[in-house]
Amino acid sequence: MCELLAMSANVPTDVRFSFAALSQRGGATGSHTDGWGISFYEQKGCRSLHDPNPSAHSELAKFIRSYPIKSLMVIAHVRKANRGRVALENTHPFGRELWGSAWSFAHNGQLKGIKTRRLTHYAPIGTTDSEHAFCWLLDRLRTLYPQRPSDHKLSLAISELFGDLRELGVFNALLSDGRSLYASCSTKLCYVERRAPFGQASLIDEDLEVDFAQETTPNDRVIILASTPLTRNETWTHVPPKTTLVARKGAIVKSFA
């Protein structure tokens, strides 16, 4: 199964520490060797990098681990292929435009029958069930709301659509427009909140430690979501199955069960 990573913050923050752990799971500490990708939001823009090679041995991944790209929102994914061949076009996160915003999506799991669902406005480029689900999600949102609705209406609609997709199989997923992060848990998803007073954190997958008190201000807030915990000395909250979370500016703002 694939592994997910997301970050929501209230100030521009780099995700190198967490990505260092995730990338090791792509061929070093884990078997997710079928490609990886990461998307960084910067104002209305979205910078995305993809590689069909294992992240643990990828020169591009090494660059990301060393270059401090700061963002308020990040989505990343390491792939273990089950639907669709190993290819650049099948690496997550996938991206599309809706209501003048760049949307990104990453998925862990399998969705039986998703490709029988008709698509009107969006079409997959690759062959994964994940990308078809993403296109279907945006199709439904565009049909429901020709113009962007309020945050409350949008959160409710996405929660309902996530629930629909969870009925087809395993749907652990991340979706963002750069402003809000929408997360679905079918089987496994957890998060850690980092806010003052900040302390030290040590990665599980790599001999790396950071003292966040030296890297932050008292007003900083960051939430990291992952398939499984990335650090050994922080308190990770496991999301219950059949739950949708909405995060914004480093805080959980909505939870739908």
Side-chain angles (χ1 to χ4, degrees):
M1 301 289 276
C2 306
E3 294 242 358
L4 304 170
L5 168 66
M7 181 191 76
S8 170
N10 69 334
V11 295
T13 303
D14 83 66
V15 76
R16 289 179 297 168
F17 182 67
S18 297
F19 182 72
L22 181 75
S23 63
Q24 288 300 301
R25 297 180 181 182
T29 62
S31 59
H32 310 85
T33 58
D34 299 325
W36 65 276
I38 187 167
S39 294
F40 303 87
Y41 281 89
E42 185 176 340
Q43 298 179 5
K44 291 191 70 175
C46 182
R47 177 184 294 149
S48 296
L49 298 169
H50 299 82
D51 190 347
N53 299 302
S55 55
H57 312 298
S58 166
E59 291 298 322
L60 189 56
K62 290 179 184 178
F63 168 75
I64 295 298
R65 293 197 298 267
S66 64
Y67 190 75
I69 299 173
K70 293 193 174 184
S71 176
L72 298 177
M73 185 76 69
V74 176
I75 290 180
H77 180 277
V78 291
R79 185 177 183 228
K80 179 69 173 177
N82 50 52
R83 301 279 178 88
R85 67 189 182 94
V86 177
L88 183 62
E89 67 268 22
N90 287 331
T91 59
H92 310 219
F94 303 106
R96 295 290 192 282
E97 178 274 335
L98 175 63
W99 304 315
S101 295
W103 287 75
S104 299
F105 173 82
H107 168 231
N108 155 238
Q110 296 182 2
L111 300 172
K112 185 177 180 180
I114 184 63
K115 291 188 177 182
T116 65
R117 296 196 175 188
R118 182 180 176 184
L119 301 175
T120 303
H121 305 291
Y122 299 92
I125 297 169
T127 56
T128 64
D129 55 347
S130 303
E131 189 182 14
H132 195 103
F134 178 40
C135 290
W136 179 83
L137 271 168
L138 294 192
D139 251 6
R140 295 300 303 139
L141 289 174
R142 185 170 170 176
T143 300
L144 287 168
Y145 299 109
Q147 296 182 343
R148 185 186 179 96
S150 66
D151 287 339
H152 177 67
K153 287 183 178 179
L154 182 54
S155 295
L156 282 174
I158 290 175
S159 176
E160 290 177 2
L161 294 171
F162 278 4
D164 188 333
L165 290 171
R166 285 194 292 264
E167 295 298 318
L168 301 182
V170 176
F171 186 69
N172 303 306
L174 304 168
L175 174 71
S176 182
D177 62 348
R179 168 177 163 78
S180 302
L181 174 67
Y182 306 93
S184 169
C185 179
S186 278
T187 56
K188 60 175 184 177
L189 193 67
C190 59
Y191 66 89
V192 62
E193 299 181 83
R194 293 174 181 154
R195 60 181 65 194
F198 293 96
Q200 292 185 332
S202 302
L203 293 180
I204 294 172
D205 298 87
E206 189 170 357
D207 185 16
L208 186 61
E209 185 175 83
V210 66
D211 183 358
F212 288 113
Q214 304 298 317
E215 308 289 336
T216 57
T217 73
N219 296 322
D220 291 0
R221 294 198 315 270
V222 179
I223 281 187
I224 299 291
L225 288 91
S227 296
T228 58
L230 303 175
T231 56
R232 60 171 52 92
N233 54 344
E234 293 184 291
T235 302
W236 288 80
T237 299
H238 291 269
V239 182
K242 298 184 179 181
T243 298
T244 295
L245 297 181
V246 184
R248 192 176 302 126
K249 295 183 179 180
I252 301 293
V253 295
K254 291 286 184 180
S255 178
F256 301 92

